[in-house]
Amino acid sequence: MRIIFLGTSAGRPTKARNVTSVALLLDKRNRFWLFDAGEGTQHRLLGSKLKLNKLDRIFITHLHGDHLYGLPGLLASRSYFEGAGPLKLYGPPGIREYVESAFRLSEAHLDYELETIEAEPGMLIEDDQYTVEVRELEHRIRCFGYRVTERPSPGRLDLAALERLGVPFGPLLGKLKRGEDVLLDNGMLVRSSDVTGAPIKGRAVAFLGDTTPCDDAVVLGKEADLLVHEATFAPGMEEKALAYGHSTFRQAAEIAAQAGAKRLVVTHFSSRFDDEEVERMVDGAKIIFPNIEAAREYAEIEVAKPK
């Protein structure tokens, strides 16, 4: 599991930063999900190793332009990629009207199936690999945060126990690892629980849209392996942050600390701050949450499996 930042600017792009978009890579085949698609996101994808035919889900946090103006063009361009299968688009109420209006007025046609789901707070996705929970944040318009949680992995096989019980190498090992009990040729029943360790906890990554500090931001980030949180304003600008529905670097660190997150990456920086100023504010927030870092354009961050 790995994330790539395709845009880290707030409100409008700058020469150094594009507006918001983050990719979540799920496996070695570079299958990925996209969180927000500000203007120019498909151009940023061209500068990465990611291909639109490997994209199968998009999650929009809210309907402000710096988070979705790049969506219609990206969806239209995906038709030109061979092997682009069905795509699911999630977002707040209004996302369907936005996309359908853009396609109707521009007479665009997609060569793949697009399913648009208007989300509400709660469990959004539950499949055999991941769950995705959505909660509502506090911004000027309805805005969501998403928490992606990987299902637990089977525990390690106890090789010494398998040898002692006479379990042969082959398909039976796979069944035991999947939690299935097996019957040996000699009639002995081998229980999976007797030859496997405890399940390995899955990883959790939380992607928050624009928000002032709120309880649901803490819930989404609870013990997350990685929390991606906006940091639009500098410490000391809390009143302005509140007025515009945003957070400061210090407030983002406080949310991560309250949530017990393992790692915090801040993004969505005001264009008034250059990289040096961003790093200075990150350093200042380490007194609250030491494991904080600033997102960078095209930065790749690995989310390691728990040991």
Side-chain angles (χ1 to χ4, degrees):
M1 186 182 282
R2 188 162 70 257
I3 67 172
I4 300 177
F5 285 93
L6 300 171
T8 61
S9 183
R12 61 183 177 88
T14 70
K15 289 183 178 180
R17 305 183 189 120
N18 198 44
V19 283
T20 299
S21 185
V22 187
L24 171 65
L25 281 75
L26 299 168
D27 51 39
K28 294 180 180 179
R29 295 178 292 125
N30 286 336
R31 183 171 62 97
F32 73 100
W33 296 350
L34 200 62
F35 292 82
D36 285 332
E39 181 184 1
T41 293
Q42 67 170 312
H43 293 273
R44 306 303 277 184
L45 285 168
L46 293 174
S48 75
K49 61 187 175 185
L50 303 174
K51 305 298 181 185
L52 282 175
N53 57 359
K54 297 291 186 178
L55 171 65
D56 54 23
R57 281 182 168 134
I58 299 175
F59 301 84
I60 300 298
T61 60
H62 63 297
L63 303 184
H64 276 157
D66 58 322
H67 293 256
L68 89 164
Y69 279 169
L71 184 59
L74 184 152
L75 293 174
S77 293
R78 191 172 181 268
S79 289
Y80 293 94
F81 284 75
E82 184 177 352
L87 175 68
K88 291 186 177 181
L89 169 64
Y90 305 86
I95 187 67
R96 180 180 291 109
E97 180 184 358
Y98 172 78
V99 171
E100 289 179 351
S101 295
F103 288 163
R104 175 174 52 81
L105 294 171
S106 64
E107 298 188 3
H109 300 282
L110 304 183
D111 291 336
Y112 59 89
E113 179 186 348
L114 174 66
E115 181 181 0
T116 302
I117 299 99
E118 295 195 331
E120 289 292 344
M123 193 60 69
L124 185 62
I125 297 171
E126 292 184 274
D127 62 25
D128 59 350
Q129 290 183 292
Y130 302 96
T131 64
V132 179
E133 180 183 5
V134 58
R135 284 183 176 261
E136 191 163 346
L137 305 173
E138 293 186 10
H139 191 45
R140 288 177 293 161
I141 63 173
R142 290 197 77 184
C143 184
F144 292 155
Y146 298 94
R147 179 186 173 98
V148 181
T149 304
E150 184 181 42
R151 296 284 192 186
S153 302
R156 297 180 184 275
L157 289 171
D158 185 338
L159 299 181
L162 292 169
E163 183 177 1
R164 186 172 64 252
L165 294 170
V167 180
F169 182 83
L172 294 183
L173 297 183
K175 289 185 176 182
L176 289 166
K177 190 169 179 64
R178 291 193 298 270
E180 302 175 31
D181 299 336
V182 301
L183 192 65
L184 303 183
D185 290 341
N186 62 9
M188 178 187 292
L189 178 67
V190 179
R191 299 187 183 280
S192 173
S193 58
D194 293 335
V195 294
T196 57
I200 301 170
K201 183 180 179 182
R203 293 161 287 187
V205 181
F207 299 90
L208 273 58
D210 293 357
T211 186
T212 58
C214 62
D215 291 342
D216 277 341
V218 177
V219 172
L220 288 170
K222 185 174 177 58
E223 298 179 359
D225 295 276
L226 178 64
L227 170 62
V228 179
H229 196 297
E230 69 126 291
T232 307
F233 292 109
M237 301 178 70
E238 284 76 18
E239 286 190 16
K240 188 166 188 176
L242 178 62
Y244 286 91
H246 290 296
S247 299
T248 67
F249 283 74
R250 179 179 291 272
Q251 288 173 325
E254 289 170 346
I255 291 294
Q258 291 174 41
K262 298 174 184 175
R263 189 177 184 185
L264 169 65
V265 180
V266 288
T267 185
H268 199 267
F269 310 123
S270 169
S271 59
R272 60 169 60 85
F273 305 128
D274 61 20
D275 288 348
E276 184 177 337
E277 291 172 300
V278 166
E279 286 300 329
R280 178 176 54 79
M281 289 184 287
V282 165
D283 288 341
K286 287 182 178 179
I287 193 172
I288 300 170
F289 189 83
N291 201 12
I292 178 177
E293 59 194 285
R296 290 283 179 266
E297 302 290 306
Y298 289 121
E300 294 192 29
I301 295 179
E302 186 74 26
V303 185
K305 276 186 173 292
K307 295 183 179 180

